[in-house]
């Protein structure tokens, strides 16, 4: 691992010197060839830098580093593309003044923990500000005329690119601009817009099909095409587990000696389940990690509302006309479930009795 330079100032100095060396190397080699004199020894690294005529990709991260890189680029006469994160909202006008395209890492800060008084006191104001404003960064860039593309680089395991794009759209980013940041602009920056990035005759047909507005939280991808060929198609018959409210009971003996009350599972979504709650009377717990795979619905929930400490893992699937399932308790015991659909729904707030 390279130990030098070990400071920001040293890194900038090394960059400047490298570009200066490359420019001197090119001039010296040119003079030597024209005058038939002995020039500097061949240096493949400097030769590659001096002969490259395309844009330079600078992965700078925060907004201050982007501004520093831009100054180095101006001194060396470089055409830069900056890879930045959502912190650019803090100096968006200065970033816009660079008149350079951006690749935005759509990573948003995690929600600060304020569960206790001590946590609330310890949260830094700058962290709260960034958590609040980061999703607005794409909108602010667009309002200031900055051309940008999105990248999934740096996403946490609990994040998805589409999920964060939807969050940016909820924060005011125009949907057409968001779509361009995923398609047209990346193709242009990569120099392949004559092949991909748009749906036009003669271009490679790479696209997705959705059952609604792509940036709506309840919209699902129903098909993916790559090179004009289907790569993924959802089951046209629709999801095996529909949205609605299920009254759930435990079939057979109680697992591991635990006595579980009857409860309801409320699944919400325009078409397939996207969110929901586990409900016992007036108490409820949010469903997490909802996935639909081959007609099987899986999710997790805090079992405190059932009087059990820890998180339970649920699986529901359709068996003929019935919906059956199982619950894996925190201690590993398995409960067989017999859900009965009480209400069906095509929208989160529009439940209809069966």
């Amino acid at each position: 691992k390279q130990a030098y330079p070990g400071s920001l100032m040293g890194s900038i100095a090394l960059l400047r010197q490298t570009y200066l060396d490359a420019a001197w190397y090119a001039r010296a080699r040119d003079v030597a060839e024209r005058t038939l004199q002995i020039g500097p020894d061949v240096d493949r690294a400097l030769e590659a830098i001096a002969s490259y005529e395309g844009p330079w990709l600078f992965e700078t991260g925060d907004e201050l580093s982007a501004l520093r890189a831009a100054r180095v680029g101006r001194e060396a006469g470089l055409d830069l593309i900056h890879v930045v994160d959502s912190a650019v909202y803090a100096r968006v006008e200065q970033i816009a003044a660079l008149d350079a395209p951006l690749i935005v890492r759509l990573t948003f800060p995690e929600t600060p923990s304020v569960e206790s008084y001590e946590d609330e006191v310890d949260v830094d104001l700058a962290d709260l500000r960034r958590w609040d404003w980061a999703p607005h960064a794409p909108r602010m860039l667009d309002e200031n005329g900055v051309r940008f593309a999105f990248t999934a680089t740096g996403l946490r395991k609990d994040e998805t690119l589409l999920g964060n794009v939807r969050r940016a759209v909820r924060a005011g980013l125009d949907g057409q601009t968001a779509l361009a940041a995923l398609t047209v602009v990346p193709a242009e920056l990569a120099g392949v817009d004559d092949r991909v990035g748009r749906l036009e005759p003669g271009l490679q047909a790479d696209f997705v099909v959705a059952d609604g507005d792509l940036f709506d939280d309840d919209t699902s991808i129903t098909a993916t095409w790559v090179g004009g060929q289907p790569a993924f198609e959802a089951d046209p018959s629709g999801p095996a587990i529909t949205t609605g409210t299920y009254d759930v009971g435990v079939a057979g003996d109680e697992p591991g000696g635990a006595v579980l009350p009857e409860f309801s599972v409320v699944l919400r979504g325009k078409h397939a389940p996207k969110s929901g709650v586990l409900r016992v009377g007036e108490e409820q717990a949010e469903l997490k990690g909802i996935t639909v795979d081959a007609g099987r619905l899986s999710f997790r929930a805090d079992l405190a509302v059932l009087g059990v400490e820890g998180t339970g893992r649920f699986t529901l699937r359709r068996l003929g006309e019935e919906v059956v399932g199982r619950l894996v308790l925190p201690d590993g015991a398995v409960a067989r479930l017999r859900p009965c659909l009480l209400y069906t729904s095509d929208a989160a707030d529009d439940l209809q009795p069966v």
Side-chain angles (χ1 to χ4, degrees):
K1 184 178 179 180
Q2 182 175 323
Y4 171 82
S7 67
L8 178 60
M9 183 168 59
S11 298
I12 294 175
L14 179 60
L15 276 173
R16 284 185 167 132
Q17 190 60 55
T18 300
Y19 287 120
L20 288 172
D21 289 348
W24 170 86
Y25 176 84
R27 291 194 301 270
R29 294 286 292 182
D30 180 62
V31 170
E33 291 177 4
R34 287 189 288 104
T35 61
L36 302 179
Q37 297 182 20
I38 298 176
D41 293 338
V42 174
D43 188 317
R44 297 301 183 192
L46 293 179
E47 189 173 303
I49 294 174
S51 61
Y52 179 67
E53 297 180 351
W56 291 81
L57 200 67
F58 264 52
E59 189 171 356
T60 50
D62 65 80
E63 73 285 2
L64 293 178
S65 293
L67 296 174
R68 296 184 186 105
R71 182 171 179 178
V72 173
R74 285 195 301 269
E75 293 174 356
L78 306 179
D79 181 17
L80 298 186
I81 299 174
H82 298 277
V83 182
V84 299
D85 60 27
S86 54
V88 292
Y89 74 86
R91 295 179 181 265
V92 67
E93 293 182 356
Q94 291 173 273
I95 294 294
L98 299 179
D99 195 24
L102 305 182
I103 298 176
V104 180
R105 288 198 295 255
L106 214 58
T107 54
F108 299 141
E110 295 185 73
T111 304
S113 174
V114 290
E115 294 182 0
S116 67
Y117 172 77
E118 290 75 12
D119 291 337
E120 183 178 344
V121 171
D122 288 340
V123 173
D124 189 89
L125 179 60
D127 293 335
L128 285 173
R129 185 184 296 114
R130 183 175 179 187
W131 166 75
D132 185 36
W133 278 98
H136 296 265
R139 170 186 61 80
M140 297 170 70
L141 291 171
D142 184 39
E143 290 174 349
N144 282 270
V146 179
R147 190 165 65 110
F148 59 88
F150 290 138
T151 177
T153 301
L155 290 178
R156 302 189 306 271
K157 290 184 178 180
D158 60 338
E159 294 180 306
T160 64
L161 178 61
L162 181 56
N164 280 4
V165 174
R166 288 171 171 173
R167 188 174 171 187
V169 170
R170 290 198 301 272
L173 176 64
D174 178 71
Q176 290 300 311
T177 302
L179 188 61
L182 293 168
T183 55
V184 178
V185 178
E188 291 174 349
L189 296 183
V192 294
D193 53 308
D194 59 335
R195 288 179 284 157
V196 296
R198 304 181 307 280
L199 283 178
E200 292 182 3
L203 271 62
Q204 183 172 312
D206 298 338
F207 60 92
V208 299
V209 180
D211 58 11
D213 186 333
L214 184 61
F215 303 123
D216 189 323
D217 286 336
D218 289 332
T219 296
S220 298
I221 303 295
T222 60
T224 302
W225 287 61
V226 178
Q229 299 296 323
F232 162 78
E233 288 185 283
D235 183 355
S237 63
I241 305 297
T242 60
T243 56
T245 298
Y246 292 81
D247 186 20
V248 182
V250 178
D253 297 333
E254 303 296 346
V259 178
L260 300 179
E262 290 189 356
F263 58 93
S264 298
V265 174
V266 181
L267 300 175
R268 300 187 176 100
K270 184 182 296 184
H271 299 285
K274 295 292 184 181
S275 63
V277 294
L278 181 70
R279 181 178 295 163
V280 178
E282 298 297 324
E283 298 185 10
Q284 62 184 32
E286 181 183 358
L287 306 187
K288 300 180 180 179
I290 297 177
T291 59
V292 180
D293 182 20
R296 181 177 60 188
L297 176 73
S298 302
F299 56 87
R300 306 185 311 275
D302 188 341
L303 300 182
V305 294
L306 301 181
V308 178
E309 184 177 350
T311 299
R313 293 172 291 160
F314 294 78
T315 303
L316 301 180
R317 62 185 178 88
R318 187 171 292 281
L319 185 63
E321 295 299 320
E322 291 186 304
V323 175
V324 299
R326 69 174 187 173
L327 162 62
V328 180
L329 294 168
D331 61 2
V334 178
R336 291 184 294 115
L337 306 177
R338 291 290 183 184
C340 173
L341 180 60
L342 297 180
Y343 297 86
T344 184
S345 169
D346 288 331
D349 55 355
D350 183 26
L351 297 176
Q352 303 294 330
V354 173

